[in-house]
Amino acid sequence: MIALPWTSFLYLGLLLGALASTVAVDRRARLVLFSATPGRGAAVLAAGTLVFLAWDLVAIDRGFYARGGPVTTGVELAPHLPLEELFFILFLCHLTLVLHGLLRRGLARRAASRSGPAGRDAAAVVPARTGEGR
């Protein structure tokens, strides 16, 4: 077994920390993987991740970029496709879905508050969390 310096895991560790942060926000707000329809959220996350991985493979094949530097583990999923790229894409896709959910929820609440009692039906588009306001 080859001993790698700790810096070889730095980028992967930062990516995992960032991904854990988006999962924590998702869990707290119940937006994607912790929503009423977690299967749909997981399917959209998987589809986005696969599309961007395919995009990367095409870019690698055409010579647009190659594998990273000394802060990567050296593990490749395919030639010139480092393990870290999978987690980077997964993080970006999850972050986008979480931000989309937060934006939708905020806009629905804003519409409901502006239109008064009649606008409360607009807030029903995005279900409210139980125990909110603690």
Side-chain angles (χ1 to χ4, degrees), residues 16 19-22 26 29 37 42 51 61 77 102-103 110 113 119 122 131:
L16 291 174
L19 183 59
S21 297
T22 61
D26 182 9
T37 55
V51 165
D61 184 56
L77 302 174
L102 288 171
L103 183 62
R110 184 176 180 190
S113 69

Side-chain angles (χ1 to χ4, degrees), residues 16-35:
L16 291 174
L19 183 59
S21 297
T22 61
V23 169
V25 171
D26 182 9
R27 183 169 185 224
R28 173 77 171 111
R30 300 178 191 275
L31 296 166
V32 182
L33 300 175
F34 300 93
S35 68

Side-chain angles (χ1 to χ4, degrees), residues 17-115:
L19 183 59
S21 297
T22 61
V23 169
V25 171
D26 182 9
R27 183 169 185 224
R28 173 77 171 111
R30 300 178 191 275
L31 296 166
V32 182
L33 300 175
F34 300 93
S35 68
T37 55
R40 186 182 336 176
V44 172
L45 181 60
T49 302
L50 290 174
V51 165
F52 284 111
L53 278 175
W55 182 332
D56 277 357
L57 290 172
V58 169
I60 290 167
D61 184 56
R62 295 193 177 178
F64 287 112
Y65 62 87
R67 192 163 75 80
V71 294
T72 62
T73 59
V75 176
E76 291 185 340
L77 302 174
H80 302 290
L81 182 67
L83 172 67
E84 291 83 359
E85 187 69 9
L86 170 66
F87 288 101
F88 176 70
I89 291 170
L90 188 62
F91 162 69
L92 284 181
C93 289
H94 191 247
L95 176 65
T96 302
L97 290 171
V98 167
L99 290 175
H100 177 266
L102 288 171
L103 183 62
R104 267 188 70 215
R105 185 173 291 169
L107 290 174
R109 286 190 180 149
R110 184 176 180 190
S113 69
R114 284 189 171 188
S115 57

Side-chain angles (χ1 to χ4, degrees), residues 119-130:
R120 292 209 170 104
D121 292 333
V125 173
V126 180
R129 280 195 61 222
T130 56

